[in-house]
Amino acid sequence: MKTNTPEIIYDKDGNPHEIVDFNDDYTASKLGFWLFLFTELMLFGAMFLVFAFFFYKMPDDFQTASGNLNILLGGLNTFILLLSTYFMGIALIHLREKDIDKCKKSIYITIALAFVFLVIKYIEWSIEINHGIYPDSEILNSKSNGEILFFGLYFTMTGFHGIHIIAGIALMIWVLILINKKIVNNKKYVILENISLYWDLVHLVWVFLFPLFYIIGLGG
Amino acid sequence: MSEKTTSFYDETHTVFGHHHNKLLQWIFSIDHKRIAILYIIVMLCFFVLAISIGLTMRLELFFPGEQILTPDRYNQAFTLHGTIMIFLFVVPGIPAVFGNFLLPLLIGARDVSFPRLNLLSWWFYLIGCMVALVSLFIGPGFADTGWTFYAPYSVKTETNVIFALTAAYILGLSSILTGINFVVTVHRLRAPGMNFFKMPLFVWGLYSTAWIQILATPVVGITLILVIIEKTLGIGIFDPSKGGDPILYQHLFWIYSHPAVYLMILPAFGVVSEILPTFCRRTIFGYRSIAISSALIAIIGYLVWGHHLFTSGMSEWTKIIFSFLTFFVSIPTGIKFFDWVATMYKASIVFKTPMLWVVGTIITFAIGGLTGITLVTLGVNIHLHDTYFVVAHFHYTIFGGVVFMLFAAMHYWYPKFIGKMYDEAKAKIAFYLIFIGFNTLWFPMFFAGALGMPRRYFDYLPEFTIYHQIAGVGAVITVSGILFMLYTLISGIKKGERCGANPWNASTLEWQIDSPPPLENFKNIPYVDFEPYEYEKGEPKHNLYNKIKGVQNEN
Ligand code: HEM
Ligand SMILES: [Cu+2]
């Protein structure tokens, strides 16, 4: 770790001005990551827009289709993600307080919860696929247009979200390695901070996916 | 100052620390200047490839009927030509090459905020290019959908659409990462004292562009992926037989691709704003209005995508609103033009090659822009939609605007990149060849289009023959001009005369350090208490060369 004193230049009046070291700029790392999350938001936003468009066109079909989903499993997953976000936050606090062991433990728990999420997702998808409901299947194609689109969007969007969960797990394993190598520590924790922000986004997206796909069916 | 200077060509940082192998030193370098050069090499190769495809199409069209291309091959040809030109060349073009090289220099920084990410962007770019290339050779060949990949055809066709889309997606990712890098760099690494209104105008152009990259590219990214999913899984979003909506694709596509037009043109405008004050030897007229109009164009550019869909079925009111909004984009664009013309008015202009390119562009881009206004007028659009009028219009704007400005930039910053001068006389000849050839090539097409010659057709009625033949001659002149220009520039690397730090007597920061710049650019970062384009009696007001190089401090 570099602990260089910052480079200073002086203007005409002799006032000092600090020069930002591009190799070690905490603010830049945060700002950059926020912008990246913004692009993710645009990406999911576009899909939500597509969902809204078709939902507006065929609300009844969407409700019928939504009734087929297992709201218990979906709800359980919502809870699991919420819990995992909590542990991710705790991990960061522990790191800042130099409690490396507890920090790593919290990350392990987060990873475990992420796996549980994926397993439940897997069970849900298998149930639907066993019922013959998957994109372009005969059974699905025989249903109404709105139901076809609902399930098309359901598999696409939860699939995308699932990929983000997997990426999150990979990132957490990476940060564990960095913590072991002491590259991430109580003074330099921006990587863990960013990953935790990312995990917040993954969780936030799910919080929108859940009511859209699972809860609208309750009304019907 | 007889000390031997080491430039960034002599030493570099790589991802893995130090390498002795010269090639690895290049492809793993995290120096923004080397990355810029990596980009331009790949980009020019693809440009030449796409040009030859364009020429092939022109030869096919020289006589009515089938000459050298079958109809299917023709469809693949214009798709490949368009895809390379747009996604591989013009969209990344100026930001990736000149943005990368110059952004840190212009704002007084030693590199971009994320040098490694910068290299990763280039890798993504290269992978995207490779994926596109590969799809030429496997299976039924390159996509035949046009570069817009309109559903439902793109979902139905047997050709390698999935490859082309994947390539476009990866290129988009690369462009997003560059955008993020630039926004953060501008916010964090401006030299002390340089507030937003002391930034050179090219930086404003890059900054606005970067925001469009961040906000718009993800939307087209997901759209392209939806087409891939549609093709492989059949989810039905774009398939009317399942309740889907093919027009939805057009909306999603143009939400990105209309801003993308500005993504191409804003950096080009930035280049004009750099070159003009240098060769007019005076401050640019209306600095603030040019800067703000870049931001305005970026914002308004967002709201007007609908004008590509006038014939696709929209309510009359929506059409009128989109048409009306589109006219608004021409206001900030017009402001820029008037500022440029005012800068040139009664200035003692030095007509070196970069300046010739700027003047040439102002003419061609004005023609492109005015015909654009014709096109967004509702009634006229219905008549001209998908005719050669459109093809001529966008070649005038994209080729005559963006690519010409890229050429201008290639000449203007040549001494900074290479440390030597190209042959001025030859470069001028190349300019005249291309300019004359270009107008011969595309001007007749306005008439052909207005008379009803549809675009994307490999054959035509005999009465259009004369237009296509004039265009054919123009194409040959243009292509020879481009090859001659590239030859001139490349031979300058070996034969050119050494030039000093500031051969044009320009005022911005990149000219205040050695050419080519050393690794990490600035020994001493300056305090910026001056405006970017201050001239006094035709000379730059500030000469910071020794101060920034650190000569005084050494002694
Ligand atoms: C010597 C140079 C060029 C020649 C001879 C040429 C020729 C052509 C021709 C014949 C077409 C097909 C028109 C049709 O059948 O509809 C075309 C389309 C196109 N060109 Fe060029 N072109 C040249 C340069 C450029 C440049 C520099 C760009 C962009 C930077 C460009 C971008 C495009 C695009 C986007 C299309 C539309 C493709 C599509 O319809 O999908 N061209 N060009
Ligand atoms: Cu447009």
Side-chain angles (χ1 to χ4, degrees):
Chain A
M1 222 181 80
K2 281 198 292 191
T3 42
N4 291 346
T5 44
E7 198 178 330
I8 306 278
I9 56 165
Y10 298 89
D11 59 24
K12 271 200 222 101
D13 306 325
N15 302 314
H17 297 271
E18 195 179 305
I19 289 171
V20 176
D21 177 6
F22 72 93
N23 279 314
D24 182 19
D25 182 6
Y26 172 81
T27 317
S29 309
K30 292 290 285 200
L31 184 60
F33 205 77
W34 271 106
L35 290 173
F36 168 72
L37 289 184
F38 219 73
T39 66
E40 291 272 56
L41 222 54
M42 295 300 292
L43 193 140
F44 278 105
M47 283 193 284
F48 280 123
L49 213 66
V50 172
F51 184 95
F53 175 75
F54 287 120
F55 183 35
Y56 175 76
K57 270 177 127 176
M58 308 166 231
D60 296 337
D61 289 354
F62 267 52
Q63 272 192 6
T64 320
S66 167
N68 291 329
L69 295 181
N70 189 328
I71 195 167
L72 270 180
L73 289 179
L76 186 62
N77 256 351
T78 312
F79 176 71
I80 286 172
L81 268 193
L82 231 91
L83 203 64
S84 74
T85 311
Y86 168 78
F87 277 104
M88 197 68 198
I90 296 282
L92 190 59
I93 295 175
H94 284 313
L95 184 69
R96 285 196 195 135
E97 287 167 356
K98 269 189 171 172
D99 201 337
I100 301 293
D101 275 347
K102 277 193 185 156
C103 165
K104 285 202 284 193
K105 224 176 262 167
S106 307
I107 298 179
Y108 284 130
I109 296 177
T110 317
I111 294 178
L113 287 171
F115 266 113
V116 175
F117 179 94
L118 286 178
V119 170
I120 293 180
K121 196 80 249 154
Y122 174 76
I123 295 172
E124 274 191 81
W125 276 30
S126 326
I127 294 175
E128 279 127 26
I129 293 173
N130 276 334
H131 286 154
I133 295 183
Y134 52 90
D136 224 14
S137 71
E138 249 173 75
I139 296 184
L140 186 58
N141 281 349
S142 66
K143 295 193 181 230
S144 71
N145 281 344
E147 285 172 276
I148 299 178
L149 286 171
F150 178 90
F151 279 105
L153 286 166
Y154 165 77
F155 280 108
T156 311
M157 291 172 79
T158 54
F160 253 97
H161 183 260
I163 292 173
H164 278 76
I165 299 264
I166 294 172
I169 295 175
L171 287 173
M172 285 181 241
I173 293 173
W174 178 58
V175 82
L176 279 173
I177 296 172
L178 293 182
I179 292 175
N180 281 337
K181 285 189 179 166
K182 301 203 168 58
I183 296 173
V184 170
N185 53 40
N186 65 316
K187 292 224 176 58
K188 294 191 87 168
Y189 45 75
V190 69
I191 294 180
L192 183 60
E193 212 172 52
N194 282 341
I195 293 178
S196 134
L197 267 177
Y198 170 84
W199 202 244
D200 276 344
L201 176 94
V202 170
H203 151 231
L204 190 78
V205 168
W206 182 259
V207 167
F208 279 96
L209 285 177
F210 177 63
L212 283 183
F213 283 108
Y214 293 80
I215 298 191
I216 55 169
L218 291 183
Chain B
M1 276 178 290
S2 57
E3 44 174 321
K4 190 183 173 322
T5 51
T6 48
S7 77
F8 74 96
Y9 290 107
D10 305 316
E11 53 171 351
T12 193
H13 300 311
T14 72
V15 192
F16 308 113
H18 199 76
H19 267 296
H20 286 291
N21 184 310
K22 281 265 185 294
L23 184 69
L24 296 184
Q25 271 184 8
W26 273 93
I27 56 181
F28 290 122
S29 172
I30 50 174
D31 178 14
H32 66 103
K33 301 181 285 303
R34 284 201 177 201
I35 294 173
I37 289 175
L38 291 177
Y39 269 112
I40 200 170
I41 292 171
V42 182
M43 227 168 250
L44 285 180
C45 293
F46 278 99
F47 180 59
V48 171
L49 175 66
I51 290 271
S52 18
I53 300 165
L55 195 62
T56 316
M57 285 191 283
R58 271 277 134 242
L59 291 179
E60 164 61 44
L61 293 169
F62 203 79
F63 297 107
E66 185 174 321
Q67 262 56 249
I68 41 177
L69 295 170
T70 60
D72 287 343
R73 283 271 172 266
Y74 186 85
N75 291 350
Q76 292 180 326
F78 72 67
T79 306
L80 187 62
H81 169 79
T83 309
I84 294 182
M85 285 297 192
I86 300 289
F87 291 110
L88 273 63
F89 183 61
V90 233
V91 169
I94 298 181
V97 177
F98 295 95
N100 251 322
F101 197 96
L102 294 162
L103 176 66
L105 300 179
L106 286 164
I107 61 175
R110 296 202 166 104
D111 206 319
V112 291
S113 274
F114 311 114
R116 283 152 201 271
L117 188 71
N118 204 8
L119 181 65
L120 188 69
S121 299
W122 181 74
W123 276 101
F124 277 142
Y125 172 74
L126 192 69
I127 294 170
C129 294
M130 290 304 141
V131 173
L133 262 194
V134 165
S135 85
L136 281 176
F137 300 109
I138 57 171
F142 200 79
D144 56 356
T145 55
W147 72 276
T148 46
F149 304 109
Y150 271 8
Y153 183 67
S154 57
V155 177
K156 295 255 159 65
T157 172
E158 304 276 306
T159 51
N160 278 333
V161 170
I162 293 184
F163 270 80
L165 291 174
T166 311
Y169 182 81
I170 299 172
L171 292 167
L173 202 63
S174 155
S175 152
I176 292 175
L177 296 181
T178 306
I180 292 176
N181 215 340
F182 283 7
V183 168
V184 176
T185 305
V186 168
H187 276 281
R188 292 296 297 162
L189 298 182
R190 275 170 292 129
M194 180 181 274
N195 59 35
F196 263 66
F197 286 107
K198 288 200 176 94
M199 295 193 311
L201 288 164
F202 185 41
V203 177
W204 271 96
L206 290 171
Y207 182 72
S208 314
T209 307
W211 272 108
I212 304 178
Q213 284 171 322
I214 293 171
L215 291 175
T217 315
V219 179
V220 81
I222 190 66
T223 310
L224 300 182
I225 289 199
L226 285 179
V227 175
I228 295 180
I229 298 177
E230 184 78 66
K231 262 184 100 76
T232 47
L233 300 176
I235 48 173
I237 295 181
F238 302 127
D239 183 353
S241 71
K242 295 179 180 171
D245 188 348
I247 306 294
L248 184 66
Y249 175 84
Q250 296 192 21
H251 277 289
L252 289 171
F253 182 83
W254 285 110
I255 286 176
Y256 161 77
S257 296
H258 188 83
V261 174
Y262 301 102
L263 217 148
M264 304 178 220
I265 201 71
L266 281 174
F269 285 167
V271 171
V272 180
S273 306
E274 291 303 309
I275 294 178
L276 271 182
T278 301
F279 293 97
C280 296
R281 319 228 61 80
R282 53 147 78 159
T283 308
I284 195 148
F285 185 86
Y287 169 89
R288 268 176 196 248
S289 58
I290 294 185
I292 293 170
S293 65
S294 289
L296 273 184
I297 291 175
I299 295 166
I300 304 177
Y302 238 92
L303 306 173
V304 301
W305 77 86
H307 62 220
H308 295 271
L309 286 81
F310 286 157
T311 57
S312 313
M314 281 204 265
S315 78
E316 290 305 315
W317 270 109
T318 331
K319 285 189 202 168
I320 290 168
I321 290 168
F322 273 127
S323 175
F324 185 69
L325 279 174
T326 306
F327 282 113
F328 266 98
V329 182
S330 48
I331 295 174
T333 315
I335 292 176
K336 276 187 201 279
F337 266 76
F338 286 125
D339 285 335
W340 291 334
V341 174
T343 308
M344 288 190 281
Y345 181 70
K346 283 192 177 167
S348 44
I349 303 176
V350 187
F351 276 105
K352 297 274 180 167
T353 317
M355 187 63 196
L356 275 182
W357 277 109
V358 167
V359 176
T361 309
I362 289 182
I363 297 168
T364 46
F365 191 79
I367 297 175
L370 291 176
T371 51
I373 294 185
T374 321
L375 276 177
V376 296
T377 313
L378 262 180
V380 187
N381 178 283
I382 310 290
H383 174 64
L384 295 174
H385 189 87
D386 273 345
T387 65
Y388 258 87
F389 194 89
V390 176
V391 181
H393 154 71
F394 72 65
H395 278 92
Y396 260 91
T397 41
I398 303 179
F399 190 0
V402 185
V403 180
F404 276 18
M405 273 352 291
L406 194 108
F407 292 166
M410 277 162 66
H411 289 88
Y412 180 60
W413 281 295
Y414 187 87
K416 196 41 70 184
F417 272 66
I418 309 289
K420 297 182 185 168
M421 254 318 168
Y422 54 84
D423 186 324
E424 185 73 40
K426 283 188 187 150
K428 278 188 176 154
I429 295 174
F431 164 78
Y432 285 112
L433 270 179
I434 299 174
F435 188 75
I436 293 166
F438 173 88
N439 285 293
T440 322
L441 167 54
W442 291 114
F443 207 75
M445 288 299 138
F446 284 121
F447 298 110
L451 293 172
M453 170 75 210
R455 74 188 280 204
R456 292 181 176 172
Y457 274 47
F458 97 117
D459 194 6
Y460 50 84
L461 297 174
E463 67 237 46
F464 293 117
T465 312
I466 181 69
Y467 301 103
H468 284 291
Q469 293 191 339
I470 299 174
V473 174
V476 173
I477 303 177
T478 314
V479 173
S480 351
I482 291 175
L483 293 180
F484 186 58
M485 180 191 76
L486 292 179
Y487 163 79
T488 307
L489 291 177
I490 291 170
S491 65
I493 298 175
K494 269 227 153 68
K495 291 190 241 153
E497 258 175 70
R498 287 228 142 262
C499 64
N502 191 358
W504 309 124
N505 241 342
S507 63
T508 35
L509 282 179
E510 83 271 32
W511 300 106
Q512 315 294 328
I513 55 174
D514 285 326
S515 319
L519 185 64
E520 299 212 340
N521 315 336
F522 297 92
K523 192 144 193 245
N524 296 316
I525 287 179
Y527 184 81
V528 181
D529 49 6
F530 46 87
E531 312 285 327
Y533 312 104
E534 286 187 303
Y535 281 91
E536 237 172 30
K537 300 200 186 82
E539 291 298 312
K541 208 164 153 190
H542 297 272
N543 191 344
L544 300 166
Y545 183 70
N546 287 343
K547 212 165 142 196
I548 292 181
K549 241 189 110 194
V551 173
Q552 283 159 345
N553 293 35
E554 267 170 12
N555 303 340

